[in-house]
Amino acid sequence: MATIKDIANRLGVSVSTVSKGLNGASDISEQLRQTVLDTAVEMGYTPKQMRTRATKKLCIFIENMDYETSEQFGYDIILGFKQAAYPAHYSVTVMPVTPAFQESEKYDVYMLKNGYVGAFFVGFALKDAWLAQLSGTSIPTTLFDNYIRKNPNVSYIGTDNFEGIDYAIEHLIALGHRKIALLNGSAHSMITEQRRQAYIESMNAHDLEISEKWMPYGYYVAAAAKDHVANLLSLGATAIVCGNDLLASGAIDECRAHGYRVPEDVSIIGFDDIPISAQLNPPLTTVRQDRIELGKCGFFALHSLINHVSVSKNLLRPQLIIRNSTAPVRK
Amino acid sequence: MATIKDIANRLGVSVSTVSKGLNGASDISEQLRQTVLDTAVEMGYTPKQMRTRATKKLCIFIENMDYETSEQFGYDIILGFKQAAYPAHYSVTVMPVTPAFQESEKYDVYMLKNGYVGAFFVGFALKDAWLAQLSGTSIPTTLFDNYIRKNPNVSYIGTDNFEGIDYAIEHLIALGHRKIALLNGSAHSMITEQRRQAYIESMNAHDLEISEKWMPYGYYVAAAAKDHVANLLSLGATAIVCGNDLLASGAIDECRAHGYRVPEDVSIIGFDDIPISAQLNPPLTTVRQDRIELGKCGFFALHSLINHVSVSKNLLRPQLIIRNSTAPVRK
């Protein structure tokens, strides 16, 4: 476990400042105190006050998502959740689950047996056994990017995909693009459908033509770009909005493979802003989901459910990060 | 100001129990502690610990809504907000505002001059000067039932109108109704449009016919029922979903005035569940918005913005309260 000195070194402040932050002393600023606490959580140091008062147990169940290192999508989500949960005197267990594990025991039973008062689901698929059980659960449960109808014990948190796609389209229109395609992620996903609907609404709102051919479904991996980019280019697309950053990186490669330069000939926009996006060639323009905020938001929604405030949906603002994969349309 | 003894009397517990609750002692249950704190806030007693640590000032601006007594719509919203804000060491000022006042000073300037770190807007109209200024504000601001696009400093909280209207329609369909009208509230309101869209989607999902005549706009007052109910009855409506409880009470009167009994001939459903709804004749079936929860949710969203978690939308679950204004369709 990290020591107070480790935290002080990381932040470049004195040990006594870290001490004050951890103990809630009044003679350091609120902002510095928060930074000290957030860093302590990230480094695995739990202040004694949090440890001794932590009586309520939460569990984060995670599937289909990497989270062990800071480059991976899930890392910051879990970190943000813990940063919000520990000061509120919860303990947090992170548990990867598989479909087989979900078949082995009912969700509610597992929660009760282990004394968890609530859970946060990250990366689950619609066909998962535990997801199907959530319509009837009495356990406070918050889902990242999934929604359960009419159960007041379950809430959905995520990024506002409609605003995110609209940011991307408006940016491209401002650059003179009119022939804008959507290379979407996997079908049968709530998020994919939201982004598709958002694309349709945004294109309609700007009087731009759309048709089915311009919004193909792919998968949320780079390789899926191979199946669709050549066709979109042959249709005359000058810009492609992609379902996530991996797809966008694949789309950049495909454009090059067909003799198109990015961004001179074709503009490419991603979604998520994973850490690698800034390192792509060219660095990727993308719609950021702030994963630390998503984690904190997940905790707030779950904490609300536990306190009998039946949050249904809690959506965060996306942010357009403009880098070098977009440029004015070629004359 | 209420004393500890007043709180003990109201709750029927000992003074020492109240004391323990206020001071966070560990030998009373978390639930009782919460009840003591909530009651203290409602009775105007602020524990010393909260008073001395309260350094962050919030303001609730309220317009077009009564809130002084517990029967009025705004009362519980403000109470819920305070119940969540005080334990987090905020002080809360409630301030009624008029259109003229909003013209007299810019919103951001007013906030800075008075040292408020955030605000909660309740009951504002789309045409209000301060609402127009929110697209560009840098002050954390949460709106009840209004939404501002693309400003990460502003959030929207409310009840999920889609689920609420769907509850009403599904209840009526289960009672055998097929000819279901929507007597909506005022046009040019985000909430009104959401409920209209929800009605259309829900009727479509159940393969029931709709047309413009079946979903007139009214106003959110009882008298508006006069303009529309006779026409809906002449079209053959056997059930009317109303934009709020006041409209529903007017609709009941209008049905009677035209010789129709409620619920034997016509079923009526309201929206909100204001305190008077249970006292109507017949007691009103309605879609409840939990106003205490809305207030707490308003605080959580604002607290998130202040902590740089850019909440966009935070929606609560509605609840269908079945009383006596709905019945099986007449054969």
Side-chain angles (χ1 to χ4, degrees), chain B residues 249-268:
Chain B
S249 79
I252 292 173
D253 292 344
E254 276 304 294
C255 285
R256 292 232 179 82
H258 290 84
Y260 291 77
R261 294 164 301 167
V262 176
E264 294 83 352
D265 302 321
V266 182
S267 286
I268 302 285

Side-chain angles (χ1 to χ4, degrees), chain B:
Chain B
M1 195 175 86
T3 65
I4 290 188
K5 193 150 190 321
D6 296 332
I7 299 169
N9 287 341
R10 160 88 81 100
L11 291 174
V13 300
S14 70
V15 165
S16 80
T17 299
V18 172
S19 239
K20 285 177 184 176
L22 295 174
N23 297 312
S26 57
D27 58 341
I28 71 166
S29 76
E30 181 65 22
Q31 194 175 354
L32 181 54
R33 193 187 69 84
Q34 194 61 53
T35 302
V36 168
L37 286 175
D38 285 352
T39 307
V41 170
E42 180 168 9
M43 297 180 74
Y45 178 93
T46 317
K48 191 170 151 218
Q49 200 195 358
M50 289 188 200
R51 282 201 303 274
T52 50
R53 288 188 54 187
T55 50
K56 292 167 288 183
K57 290 171 60 185
L58 302 178
C59 193
I60 301 177
F61 296 105
I62 190 161
E63 192 184 26
N64 304 314
M65 194 185 290
D66 294 320
Y67 61 91
E68 282 87 357
T69 68
S70 62
E71 298 78 40
Q72 296 172 329
F73 191 85
Y75 181 88
D76 277 351
I77 294 179
I78 289 172
L79 177 57
F81 187 96
K82 288 181 175 175
Q83 286 176 342
Y86 288 171
H89 309 297
Y90 287 89
S91 69
V92 178
T93 302
V94 180
M95 185 163 159
V97 289
T98 59
F101 178 79
Q102 295 175 50
E103 299 289 348
S104 74
E105 181 143 59
K106 287 241 183 307
Y107 169 61
D108 282 19
V109 172
Y110 183 83
M111 293 293 285
L112 292 171
K113 269 184 14 190
N114 289 280
Y116 293 122
V117 298
F120 185 39
F121 281 32
V122 180
F124 278 60
L126 288 175
K127 62 182 189 309
D128 280 328
W130 278 13
L131 218 55
Q133 292 167 23
L134 289 183
S135 294
T137 189
S138 58
I139 308 277
T141 307
T142 294
L143 312 177
F144 171 57
D145 275 355
N146 270 306
Y147 174 64
I148 300 291
R149 293 178 74 228
K150 296 185 176 170
N151 184 342
N153 301 311
V154 183
S155 59
Y156 148 46
I157 70 112
T159 301
D160 184 339
N161 287 300
F162 287 85
E163 196 158 282
I165 293 293
D166 198 43
Y167 271 127
I169 305 277
E170 287 195 345
H171 169 60
L172 291 169
I173 288 172
L175 292 169
H177 294 272
R178 297 292 176 270
K179 299 184 163 192
I180 303 168
L182 174 70
L183 173 51
N184 211 339
S186 318
H188 310 299
S189 140
M190 186 181 79
I191 295 313
T192 303
E193 287 309 315
Q194 285 181 356
R195 292 177 191 169
R196 180 183 170 90
Q197 195 55 40
Y199 167 79
I200 294 170
E201 287 181 15
S202 186
M203 293 292 278
N204 280 338
H206 292 96
D207 290 324
L208 295 180
E209 233 176 283
I210 51 170
S211 80
E212 200 57 43
K213 296 180 295 194
W214 285 73
M215 40 181 158
Y217 292 99
Y219 293 92
Y220 286 111
V221 297
K226 271 200 199 313
D227 303 333
H228 302 287
V229 168
N231 187 46
L232 296 175
L233 294 173
S234 74
L235 290 170
T238 65
I240 304 175
V241 178
C242 300
N244 73 357
D245 292 344
L246 298 174
L247 258 175
S249 79
I252 292 173
D253 292 344
E254 276 304 294
C255 285
R256 292 232 179 82
H258 290 84
Y260 291 77
R261 294 164 301 167
V262 176
E264 294 83 352
D265 302 321
V266 182
S267 286
I268 302 285
I269 299 190
F271 207 107
D272 285 349
D273 196 28
I274 55 175
I276 205 178
S277 304
Q279 269 77 53
L280 290 178
N281 174 22
L284 189 66
T285 295
T286 186
V287 178
R288 176 183 289 167
Q289 303 199 58
D290 188 313
R291 295 182 300 283
I292 291 275
E293 288 194 9
L294 282 169
K296 289 185 176 178
C297 184
F299 170 75
F300 289 138
L302 185 54
H303 183 59
S304 297
L305 292 180
I306 291 168
N307 287 289
H308 310 291
V309 176
S310 66
V311 169
S312 173
K313 302 181 185 178
N314 197 337
L315 299 182
L316 290 174
R317 301 273 181 180
Q319 197 185 348
L320 182 67
I321 306 297
I322 299 175
R323 298 198 183 96
N324 303 111
S325 66
T326 47
V329 68
R330 195 178 44 161
K331 297 295 169 202

Side-chain angles (χ1 to χ4, degrees), chain A residues 1-319:
Chain A
M1 195 174 86
T3 65
I4 292 189
K5 192 150 190 317
D6 296 332
I7 300 169
N9 287 341
R10 161 89 81 100
L11 292 173
V13 300
S14 70
V15 165
S16 80
T17 299
V18 172
S19 240
K20 284 177 184 175
L22 296 174
N23 297 312
S26 58
D27 58 341
I28 71 166
S29 75
E30 181 65 21
Q31 193 177 354
L32 182 53
R33 194 186 69 81
Q34 194 61 52
T35 303
V36 168
L37 287 174
D38 285 352
T39 306
V41 169
E42 180 169 8
M43 296 179 74
Y45 178 92
T46 317
K48 192 170 152 220
Q49 200 195 357
M50 290 189 199
R51 281 201 304 274
T52 51
R53 288 189 55 188
T55 51
K56 292 167 287 182
K57 289 170 61 185
L58 302 178
C59 193
I60 301 177
F61 295 107
I62 189 161
E63 192 183 26
N64 304 315
M65 195 186 289
D66 294 320
Y67 62 92
E68 282 87 356
T69 69
S70 63
E71 298 78 42
Q72 296 174 328
F73 192 85
Y75 182 87
D76 277 351
I77 294 179
I78 289 173
L79 177 57
F81 188 96
K82 287 181 175 175
Q83 286 176 343
Y86 288 169
H89 309 297
Y90 288 89
S91 68
V92 178
T93 301
V94 179
M95 186 162 157
V97 289
T98 58
F101 178 78
Q102 295 175 51
E103 299 290 347
S104 73
E105 182 144 57
K106 288 239 184 306
Y107 170 60
D108 282 19
V109 173
Y110 184 83
M111 293 294 284
L112 292 171
K113 269 182 17 187
N114 289 281
Y116 293 123
V117 299
F120 184 40
F121 280 34
V122 181
F124 277 60
L126 288 175
K127 62 182 189 310
D128 280 328
W130 279 12
L131 217 56
Q133 292 166 23
L134 289 183
S135 293
T137 190
S138 58
I139 308 279
T141 308
T142 295
L143 311 178
F144 171 57
D145 275 356
N146 271 304
Y147 174 64
I148 301 291
R149 293 177 75 230
K150 295 185 177 172
N151 184 342
N153 301 312
V154 183
S155 59
Y156 148 46
I157 70 111
T159 301
D160 185 339
N161 287 300
F162 287 86
E163 195 157 283
I165 293 292
D166 199 41
Y167 270 127
I169 305 276
E170 288 195 344
H171 170 60
L172 291 169
I173 288 173
L175 291 170
H177 293 273
R178 297 293 176 268
K179 302 188 162 188
I180 304 168
L182 173 70
L183 173 52
N184 211 338
S186 319
H188 310 299
S189 141
M190 185 181 81
I191 295 313
T192 302
E193 287 309 314
Q194 285 181 357
R195 291 179 190 167
R196 180 182 170 92
Q197 195 55 39
Y199 167 78
I200 294 169
E201 288 181 15
S202 186
M203 293 291 279
N204 281 337
H206 292 95
D207 291 323
L208 295 180
E209 231 176 289
I210 50 170
S211 80
E212 199 57 43
K213 294 179 295 194
W214 286 74
M215 40 181 156
Y217 291 99
Y219 292 92
Y220 286 111
V221 297
K226 272 201 197 311
D227 304 333
H228 302 286
V229 168
N231 187 46
L232 295 174
L233 294 172
S234 74
L235 290 170
T238 66
I240 305 176
V241 178
C242 300
N244 73 357
D245 292 344
L246 298 174
L247 258 175
S249 79
I252 292 174
D253 292 343
E254 277 303 294
C255 285
R256 292 232 180 83
H258 289 83
Y260 290 78
R261 294 164 301 168
V262 177
E264 293 82 355
D265 302 320
V266 182
S267 287
I268 302 286
I269 299 190
F271 207 106
D272 286 348
D273 197 27
I274 54 176
I276 204 177
S277 305
Q279 268 77 54
L280 290 178
N281 173 23
L284 189 67
T285 295
T286 187
V287 178
R288 177 183 289 168
Q289 304 198 57
D290 188 312
R291 295 181 301 284
I292 290 275
E293 288 193 10
L294 283 168
K296 289 185 176 176
C297 185
F299 170 74
F300 289 138
L302 185 54
H303 183 58
S304 297
L305 293 179
I306 291 168
N307 288 289
H308 310 291
V309 176
S310 65
V311 169
S312 173
K313 302 181 187 179
N314 197 338
L315 299 183
L316 290 174
R317 302 273 181 181
Q319 197 186 346

